[in-house]
Amino acid sequence: SHQSPHMSVPRITKEALKTRLEEDGGTPPVILDARLKYPYEHSTVMLPGAVRVNPDDPSAGLSTDRDVVAYDSDPEELVSAPVAAALIRKGYRAAALEGGLAAWVTAKFPTDEKDAPKQAPPKAGGLKG
């Protein structure tokens, strides 16, 4: 079996992340939504307070004084792990969310709503009978 170069990236479980977000007095980690464009745009949910990042430049505007957790739509963290690795190389304390967004949603943990592209519904009264 070949070792993936991203295996060394720390993972955080959804339970641990949820606890961190709900801690009183603790500093919650910054959550980065590192999903690829298509899965991001066609989804209507994101983790609470997540910041949308470009997976190619995830550290734009990030401060290094808070822990960072990246997630994506892939159960193997194919996007979030390299994002976390890139952040770690730049001196951040970063981890990838184990199981990604799907694991979080499946556990029915809290999410924020986001807009997804939809077909515009017909305007009320606009349908000719």
Side-chain angles (χ1 to χ4, degrees):
S1 69
H2 64 284
Q3 283 294 77
S4 150
H6 304 307
M7 290 309 286
S8 57
V9 175
R11 300 294 202 273
I12 183 170
T13 64
K14 58 188 183 296
E15 293 82 6
L17 178 57
K18 183 170 184 275
T19 301
R20 291 282 312 269
L21 294 178
E22 292 170 349
E23 264 170 357
D24 283 338
T27 306
V30 179
I31 301 180
L32 300 183
D33 186 314
R35 285 178 283 179
L36 297 174
K37 182 171 159 38
Y38 186 87
Y40 175 78
E41 289 184 350
H42 289 263
S43 168
T44 57
V45 295
M46 56 197 303
L47 262 64
V51 180
R52 173 69 177 151
V53 291
N54 174 351
D56 298 324
D57 183 21
S59 63
L62 269 188
S63 108
T64 49
D65 60 3
R66 284 171 65 185
D67 293 353
V68 178
V69 175
Y71 73 89
D72 66 25
S73 57
D74 186 88
E76 303 291 321
E77 302 93 43
L78 285 181
V79 185
S80 57
V83 164
L87 290 170
I88 290 167
R89 284 195 294 272
K90 292 185 174 187
Y92 291 85
R93 296 187 305 272
L97 176 62
E98 197 173 77
L101 180 67
W104 184 272
V105 170
T106 302
K108 298 193 165 34
F109 286 176
T111 53
D112 284 351
E113 285 192 20
K114 63 175 277 303
D115 289 332
K118 343 182 208 325
Q119 297 294 311
K123 289 189 178 61
L127 294 173
K128 297 281 182 282

